[in-house]
Amino acid sequence: MFLGPTIKQIRTSKGINQSILADGIMSRSNLSRFEGGKYYPGYDKLILLLDKLELSLEELLFLHNDYAQPVKRTLHLSLVEAANRYEFDKVRAFSYECRSLYRATQTEAYYHLYLLGQGYLIRYQREDEIRHLSEIAGEIKPYLLGVDKWYLYEFKLLNNFLFTLNSSDAIFFGLRAANEFDKYHDFAESRTIQQHLMKNISTICMKEHNYEQSLFFLKKALPLADKTNLLYDKIETLVYYEVTLLCLKHKESSAELMSYLNILRQLEFMDSYEALQQVCRRHLPDVVH
């Protein structure tokens, strides 16, 4: 993959000459060769160039691919969108496409996407080639157990497949994720992933009335929700947190819980408001009517 010509396009569009961009990183002649596709610098030098251009590696690849997302990401987004719209024929088609790509490339991520598509079909009672979620969990668990050190891919994978796991497995892998996250403490891109994963595992615990364990994961999720500055995520997490505290009798007043629900209603997040109302009624029938 020759990224040099794309670097040149970005550099010239920003009005930066070669000498300025190369200064302190490499010689101007090497930058010229890089931009001409005749030389490839080390990764460390590429990152320094991107830093000067105020560009992330992900954005560079996006621009290099003519504003197209990588195939795996595009397929993942397409799968999720089709499932959210209940377009099960599309889910099935995307799942098969991922399976074909896996067979052609032996890239495990494509196989995981195939499993995800099959999982969505089972979840919505449209079983296809795989009939039970436990079969999918049986494929994902060995993969997660077999990776010595988790990276963002493994965190995303766990979050994507939580719905296939039983609560014990979700807690087991959630505890490992909580420990593995420590090395990503200062990596901003991981915070949203961490926050969603911790919150989602807490809801699994809550469904089992395992409120102590739910509280553990919510305490991990809350500070991350603050750091991501995503208002909806923060409010939703706070609702679950308040429900858990009330269920554990750690507090008596439901005033804060009701205020968070009212914020969702005022912001017109009505689907989420109604879904969280149902959660409250299920766990706190004497508090929320």
Side-chain angles (χ1 to χ4, degrees), residues 125-154:
Q125 300 179 330
R126 299 290 197 284
E127 294 87 346
D128 188 46
E129 295 183 328
I130 300 177
R131 310 298 295 178
H132 304 287
L133 289 179
S134 59
E135 296 176 58
I136 295 175
E139 298 272 2
I140 295 301
K141 290 192 295 183
Y143 173 84
L144 290 173
L145 289 169
V147 179
D148 290 335
K149 292 183 179 180
W150 283 12
Y151 299 92
L152 289 186
Y153 179 79
E154 281 69 42

Coordinates of all heavy atoms in Angstrom, one line a residue, residues 125-154:
Q125 N -35.4 -14.9 15.7 CA -36.2 -16.1 15.3 C -36.3 -16.3 13.8 O -37.3 -16.7 13.3 CB -37.6 -16.0 16.0 CG -37.5 -15.9 17.5 CD -38.9 -15.8 18.1 OE1 -39.8 -15.3 17.6 NE2 -39.0 -16.4 19.4
R126 N -35.1 -16.1 13.2 CA -35.0 -16.3 11.7 C -33.8 -17.3 11.5 O -33.0 -17.0 10.6 CB -34.8 -15.0 11.0 CG -35.9 -14.0 11.1 CD -37.2 -14.4 10.3 NE -38.1 -13.3 10.1 CZ -38.9 -12.8 11.0 NH1 -38.8 -13.2 12.2 NH2 -39.7 -11.8 10.7
E127 N -33.8 -18.3 12.3 CA -32.6 -19.2 12.3 C -32.3 -19.6 10.8 O -33.2 -19.9 10.0 CB -32.9 -20.5 13.1 CG -33.0 -20.2 14.6 CD -34.4 -19.9 15.0 OE1 -35.2 -19.5 14.1 OE2 -34.7 -19.9 16.2
D128 N -31.0 -19.7 10.6 CA -30.5 -20.0 9.2 C -29.6 -21.3 9.3 O -30.0 -22.4 9.7 CB -29.8 -18.8 8.6 CG -29.4 -19.0 7.2 OD1 -30.3 -19.5 6.4 OD2 -28.3 -18.7 6.8
E129 N -28.3 -21.1 9.0 CA -27.4 -22.3 9.0 C -27.0 -22.7 10.4 O -26.8 -23.9 10.7 CB -26.1 -21.9 8.2 CG -26.4 -21.7 6.7 CD -25.2 -21.4 6.0 OE1 -24.2 -20.8 6.5 OE2 -25.1 -21.7 4.8
I130 N -27.0 -21.7 11.3 CA -26.7 -22.0 12.7 C -28.0 -21.9 13.5 O -28.7 -20.9 13.3 CB -25.6 -21.1 13.3 CG1 -24.3 -21.3 12.5 CG2 -25.4 -21.4 14.8 CD1 -23.2 -20.4 12.9
R131 N -28.3 -22.8 14.4 CA -29.7 -22.8 15.0 C -29.7 -22.2 16.4 O -30.8 -21.8 16.8 CB -30.2 -24.3 15.0 CG -30.1 -25.0 13.7 CD -30.9 -24.4 12.6 NE -32.3 -24.5 12.9 CZ -33.2 -24.0 12.0 NH1 -32.9 -23.4 10.9 NH2 -34.5 -24.1 12.3
H132 N -28.6 -22.2 17.1 CA -28.7 -21.8 18.5 C -27.5 -20.9 18.8 O -26.4 -21.0 18.3 CB -28.6 -23.1 19.4 CG -29.6 -24.1 19.2 ND1 -30.9 -24.0 19.5 CD2 -29.5 -25.3 18.5 CE1 -31.6 -25.0 19.2 NE2 -30.8 -25.9 18.6
L133 N -27.8 -19.9 19.7 CA -26.8 -18.9 20.1 C -25.7 -19.6 20.8 O -24.5 -19.1 20.7 CB -27.4 -17.9 21.0 CG -28.4 -16.9 20.4 CD1 -29.0 -15.9 21.4 CD2 -27.7 -16.1 19.3
S134 N -25.9 -20.7 21.5 CA -24.9 -21.4 22.2 C -23.8 -21.9 21.2 O -22.6 -22.0 21.6 CB -25.4 -22.6 23.0 OG -26.1 -23.5 22.2
E135 N -24.2 -22.2 20.0 CA -23.2 -22.7 19.0 C -22.3 -21.6 18.6 O -21.1 -21.8 18.4 CB -24.0 -23.2 17.8 CG -24.8 -24.4 18.0 CD -25.6 -24.8 16.7 OE1 -24.9 -25.0 15.7 OE2 -26.8 -24.8 16.8
I136 N -22.8 -20.4 18.6 CA -22.0 -19.2 18.2 C -21.1 -18.9 19.4 O -19.9 -18.6 19.2 CB -22.9 -18.0 17.9 CG1 -23.7 -18.3 16.6 CG2 -22.1 -16.7 17.7 CD1 -24.7 -17.3 16.2
A137 N -21.6 -18.9 20.6 CA -20.8 -18.7 21.8 C -19.7 -19.7 21.8 O -18.5 -19.4 22.2 CB -21.6 -18.8 23.1
G138 N -20.0 -20.9 21.4 CA -18.9 -22.0 21.4 C -17.8 -21.7 20.4 O -16.7 -22.3 20.5
E139 N -18.0 -20.8 19.5 CA -17.0 -20.4 18.5 C -16.2 -19.2 19.1 O -15.0 -19.1 18.9 CB -17.6 -20.1 17.2 CG -18.3 -21.2 16.5 CD -17.4 -22.0 15.6 OE1 -16.2 -21.7 15.6 OE2 -17.9 -23.0 15.0
I140 N -16.9 -18.3 19.7 CA -16.3 -17.0 20.1 C -15.5 -17.2 21.4 O -14.4 -16.6 21.6 CB -17.4 -16.0 20.4 CG1 -18.1 -15.6 19.0 CG2 -16.8 -14.7 21.0 CD1 -17.1 -15.1 18.0
K141 N -16.0 -18.0 22.3 CA -15.3 -18.2 23.6 C -13.9 -18.7 23.5 O -12.9 -18.2 24.1 CB -16.1 -19.0 24.6 CG -17.4 -18.3 25.1 CD -18.0 -19.1 26.2 CE -18.5 -20.4 25.8 NZ -19.2 -21.2 27.0
P142 N -13.7 -19.8 22.7 CA -12.3 -20.3 22.5 C -11.4 -19.2 21.9 O -10.2 -19.2 22.2 CB -12.5 -21.5 21.6 CG -13.9 -21.9 21.8 CD -14.6 -20.7 22.0
Y143 N -11.9 -18.4 21.0 CA -11.1 -17.4 20.4 C -10.6 -16.4 21.5 O -9.4 -16.1 21.6 CB -11.8 -16.6 19.3 CG -11.1 -15.4 18.8 CD1 -10.1 -15.6 17.8 CD2 -11.3 -14.1 19.3 CE1 -9.3 -14.5 17.4 CE2 -10.5 -13.0 18.9 CZ -9.6 -13.2 17.9 OH -8.8 -12.1 17.5
L144 N -11.5 -15.9 22.3 CA -11.2 -14.9 23.3 C -10.2 -15.5 24.3 O -9.3 -14.9 24.8 CB -12.5 -14.4 24.0 CG -13.4 -13.5 23.1 CD1 -14.7 -13.2 23.9 CD2 -12.7 -12.2 22.8
L145 N -10.5 -16.8 24.7 CA -9.6 -17.4 25.6 C -8.2 -17.7 25.1 O -7.2 -17.7 25.8 CB -10.2 -18.8 26.1 CG -11.4 -18.7 27.0 CD1 -12.1 -20.1 27.1 CD2 -11.1 -18.2 28.3
G146 N -8.1 -17.8 23.7 CA -6.8 -18.1 23.1 C -6.0 -16.9 22.8 O -4.8 -17.1 22.5
V147 N -6.5 -15.7 23.0 CA -5.7 -14.5 22.8 C -5.0 -14.1 24.1 O -5.7 -13.8 25.1 CB -6.6 -13.4 22.3 CG1 -5.7 -12.1 22.0 CG2 -7.2 -13.8 20.9
D148 N -3.7 -14.1 24.1 CA -3.0 -13.8 25.4 C -3.2 -12.4 25.9 O -3.4 -12.2 27.0 CB -1.5 -14.0 25.2 CG -1.1 -15.5 25.0 OD1 -1.9 -16.4 25.5 OD2 -0.1 -15.8 24.4
K149 N -3.1 -11.4 24.9 CA -3.3 -10.0 25.3 C -4.4 -9.5 24.4 O -4.3 -9.6 23.1 CB -2.1 -9.2 25.1 CG -1.0 -9.6 26.1 CD 0.2 -8.7 25.9 CE 1.3 -9.0 27.0 NZ 2.5 -8.1 26.8
W150 N -5.4 -8.9 25.0 CA -6.5 -8.3 24.2 C -6.1 -7.0 23.6 O -5.5 -6.2 24.3 CB -7.8 -8.2 25.0 CG -8.5 -9.5 25.3 CD1 -8.0 -10.8 25.0 CD2 -9.8 -9.7 25.8 NE1 -8.9 -11.7 25.3 CE2 -10.0 -11.1 25.9 CE3 -10.7 -8.8 26.3 CZ2 -11.2 -11.6 26.3 CZ3 -11.9 -9.3 26.8 CH2 -12.2 -10.7 26.8
Y151 N -6.7 -6.7 22.4 CA -6.5 -5.4 21.8 C -8.0 -4.9 21.5 O -8.9 -5.6 21.9 CB -5.7 -5.5 20.5 CG -4.3 -6.0 20.8 CD1 -4.0 -7.4 20.7 CD2 -3.3 -5.1 21.2 CE1 -2.7 -7.8 21.0 CE2 -2.0 -5.6 21.5 CZ -1.7 -6.9 21.4 OH -0.5 -7.3 21.7
L152 N -8.1 -3.8 20.9 CA -9.4 -3.2 20.7 C -10.3 -4.2 19.9 O -11.5 -4.2 20.2 CB -9.3 -1.9 19.9 CG -8.7 -0.7 20.7 CD1 -8.9 0.6 19.9 CD2 -9.4 -0.5 22.0
Y153 N -9.8 -4.9 19.0 CA -10.6 -5.9 18.3 C -11.3 -6.9 19.2 O -12.5 -7.2 19.1 CB -9.8 -6.7 17.3 CG -10.6 -7.7 16.5 CD1 -11.4 -7.3 15.4 CD2 -10.6 -9.0 16.9 CE1 -12.2 -8.2 14.7 CE2 -11.4 -9.9 16.2 CZ -12.2 -9.5 15.1 OH -13.0 -10.4 14.4
E154 N -10.6 -7.4 20.2 CA -11.2 -8.3 21.2 C -12.2 -7.7 22.0 O -13.3 -8.3 22.3 CB -10.1 -9.0 22.1 CG -9.3 -10.1 21.4 CD -8.4 -9.5 20.3 OE1 -7.7 -8.5 20.5 OE2 -8.3 -10.2 19.2

